[in-house]
Amino acid sequence: MRCLLCTVVLVCAVSAAAAGGGTQPVARILTGAGPCGAASGFGSVWIAVYNTGRVVRIDPRRNRITRSIRVAKGVCPIAVGAGSVWVASDRTNLLYRIDPRRDRVMRRIRVAEWPAHVAVGLGSVWVSGYEVGTILRVDARTGRVSRSYKTGGNPSGMAFVDGRLWFTFGRGSAIGQLDLATGDVTQFPLGHDAPGFLEAIGGNLWTTTGDGYALRVDPQTGRVVRAFPIPGTPAQPAAAPDGTIWVAEKERNTVTRIDPIANVILDVSGAGRGALAIAVARRDMWVTSYAGSDVWRFKGDR
C-alpha cells in the first residue's frame, strides 16, 4: 500500500495536443482502472474506482492521494454529507458509509438492485434502484432504510430543489418529482431520451440525455427551457466557480463549457478517456476518466 500511494500520483501540465485545445488540464492523478463517481468534502476529493473497488482520497492542495480505502468492486455513485462519505456498488447492491476521520467503511446497508445514484438531503441518504424502480430513503444517523418509494421505470439521477426530490427516468424520456409524504410521482416530459445525471444548479435542474443533449429545466414548471447539443454521450453536469456549466462526455472524451446567462456553448475540450463525473474542489474541476485510470484537474475559475 505504501508503494501504491507513492506511485499513483502524476502531476503535470498536459500539452495542448493531448487535451485537444480549449480548456487545458493542470494535473492528472492516477487512481487505478475505472475511476467512476466523484465528490468533494472534508478538504478532499473522493473518487470511487469501479474496477479496483476502492475509494481514493485526494488532497487537492498537493494533487496527491492520501488514502486508498478498500470497499467493493463496482463502486461508482458517491456523495458527501451528514458527516460521512456514501458510496454504492452495483456488484454487491450495498451502500457503504465511510468515516472521513478514520478513512474506514463503518457500515454496509443493503439497497435495491443496481444503485445508480446516491444523494444526501433532508437528513437522509437517497439511493435510486435502477432495475427495480424504487428510491430508498436511508436514515443518515442510524443507517437504516426508513422508506422505499415505488417510482416505476428506471430511476437514475436525483436532485433536491426547495425540499422537493426530482429524479430522472433513465430508460424513458421524462423526469419525475416525488411527493415525499404520499409517494406520488409526477412526470414531466423532456422531449429527449434516456436522461441520466441530474443536478440542481442556480435554482434550475440540469440533466444530460442519451441522445446527446444537456438540458436546463425549470423546477417550477418541469419544462425544458434550454437544450444544448453535446455530441456523443454526455454525463455529469456541474457548476464551476466562474458561473459556467461543465458537462463531461464519455464517448468522445470531452468536457463542454456552457455560459448559462448567454445560453451559448463556450468551448469543447479534450478530457480523459470516458470522461464521466465531475467534482469541484479548491475552485477547480476534477473529471474522472471511466475508461481510463486517472482524474483530470482543470481550472474552474477563468
Side-chain angles (χ1 to χ4, degrees):
M1 177 60 68
R2 186 177 294 110
C3 181
L4 172 66
L5 293 179
C6 289
T7 59
V8 290
V9 179
L10 170 63
V11 183
C12 61
V14 181
S15 69
T23 302
Q24 302 300 313
V26 295
R28 291 168 61 182
I29 296 91
L30 300 179
T31 59
C36 196
S40 64
F42 308 107
S44 301
V45 178
W46 303 80
I47 306 296
V49 187
Y50 190 90
N51 292 347
T52 68
R54 292 180 175 272
V55 170
V56 296
R57 181 175 190 170
I58 300 172
D59 180 348
R61 296 170 301 175
R62 298 181 293 162
N63 291 322
R64 180 179 177 84
I65 290 177
T66 58
R67 292 290 187 274
S68 178
I69 305 164
R70 180 177 294 177
V71 184
K73 288 190 176 182
V75 289
C76 183
I78 187 168
V80 172
S84 299
V85 178
W86 306 84
V87 63
S89 164
D90 63 15
R91 299 274 189 92
T92 64
N93 295 321
L94 292 174
L95 173 70
Y96 301 84
R97 181 175 74 83
I98 296 173
D99 184 340
R101 295 168 300 178
R102 302 180 184 180
D103 290 320
R104 290 179 53 192
V105 174
M106 303 303 293
R107 188 180 290 271
R108 296 165 176 81
I109 304 156
R110 177 66 58 185
V111 293
E113 185 178 356
W114 193 348
H117 286 264
V118 175
V120 181
L122 306 180
S124 299
V125 183
W126 305 79
V127 185
S128 55
Y130 192 88
E131 287 295 345
V132 295
T134 63
I135 290 177
L136 297 185
R137 183 173 190 169
V138 177
D139 186 299
R141 183 178 60 85
T142 66
R144 296 178 179 175
V145 175
S146 58
R147 184 164 181 179
S148 176
Y149 295 91
K150 188 67 176 179
T151 62
N154 302 93
S156 190
M158 298 174 290
F160 286 93
V161 177
D162 297 329
R164 295 173 293 170
L165 178 62
W166 292 80
F167 65 96
T168 60
F169 287 96
R171 290 181 181 153
S173 56
I175 60 173
Q177 184 186 117
L178 177 62
D179 187 314
L180 302 181
T182 66
D184 293 339
V185 173
T186 304
Q187 292 195 33
F188 299 86
L190 295 174
H192 296 276
D193 297 329
F197 286 89
L198 185 66
E199 301 291 336
I201 301 172
N204 293 291
L205 290 165
W206 288 79
T207 187
T208 55
T209 61
D211 58 356
Y213 284 86
L215 307 178
R216 186 170 68 190
V217 178
D218 183 345
Q220 302 304 316
T221 64
R223 296 180 59 185
V224 175
V225 294
R226 293 286 177 180
F228 301 90
I230 311 289
T233 307
Q236 185 170 7
D242 64 4
T244 58
I245 306 299
W246 289 50
V247 181
E249 190 282 310
K250 63 183 181 179
E251 182 180 339
R252 302 187 183 189
N253 313 323
T254 65
V255 287
T256 297
R257 291 195 316 132
I258 298 170
D259 182 334
I261 304 300
N263 290 309
V264 295
I265 292 175
L266 297 173
D267 52 48
V268 180
S269 306
R273 291 192 298 127
L276 182 68
I278 305 175
V280 184
R282 292 189 70 86
R283 303 190 67 80
D284 285 348
M285 313 298 281
W286 303 71
V287 184
T288 62
S289 307
Y290 181 57
S293 58
D294 56 14
V295 175
W296 290 34
R297 179 177 186 172
F298 296 86
K299 297 298 295 180
D301 192 353
R302 302 180 62 182

